[in-house]
Amino acid sequence: MTPSVREHRTAVDWAEEIKYMVDEMYPEAEKIILVIDNLNTHKPSSLYKAFKARRIIKKLEIHYTPKHGSWLDIAEIDDDQTVSFSKNPGY
């Protein structure tokens, strides 16, 4: 998904982006897995505020990144373990 740039980051802005993703980009998808940060507007309630959109929420499987630390830390740890394993396959 190509990110869009908006002047503000309100709940309605987020909801409009999610609605566009669900309705325009992936209309045939049964389930969309969404990995997002914990910004206070990135909640299903934002979709209700903007559209009363239960149908959109039913298509989403939402996973939030950790509140403390970076999700990149987790990815880097996993990547380091993969590299280490490939260099030393006997261990």
Side-chain angles (χ1 to χ4, degrees):
M1 181 173 157
T2 303
S4 65
V5 178
R6 293 183 176 225
E7 189 173 334
H8 302 284
R9 294 183 302 174
T10 67
V12 173
D13 290 330
W14 183 78
E16 287 172 352
E17 293 294 328
I18 298 303
K19 184 178 186 301
Y20 175 78
M21 180 184 66
V22 170
D23 291 345
E24 303 297 326
M25 296 181 73
Y26 305 105
E28 302 299 319
E30 291 180 27
K31 181 69 68 177
I32 297 170
I33 299 171
L34 189 61
V35 179
I36 55 178
D37 63 13
N38 283 283
L39 189 65
N40 63 341
T41 59
H42 295 171
K43 306 288 182 223
S45 60
S46 298
L47 291 161
Y48 282 116
K49 278 184 191 177
F51 308 113
K52 295 187 170 87
R54 180 174 296 254
R55 119 190 121 70
I56 294 173
I57 293 169
K58 284 184 176 182
K59 290 184 101 176
L60 299 176
E61 180 180 318
I62 300 175
H63 298 270
Y64 294 98
T65 58
K67 289 182 181 182
H68 301 288
S70 169
W71 65 271
L72 286 174
D73 292 342
I74 297 168
E76 288 170 355
I77 289 169
D78 185 53
D79 189 45
D80 286 346
Q81 290 173 347
T82 302
V83 170
S84 183
F85 179 74
S86 65
K87 287 181 180 176
N88 303 307
Y91 294 97

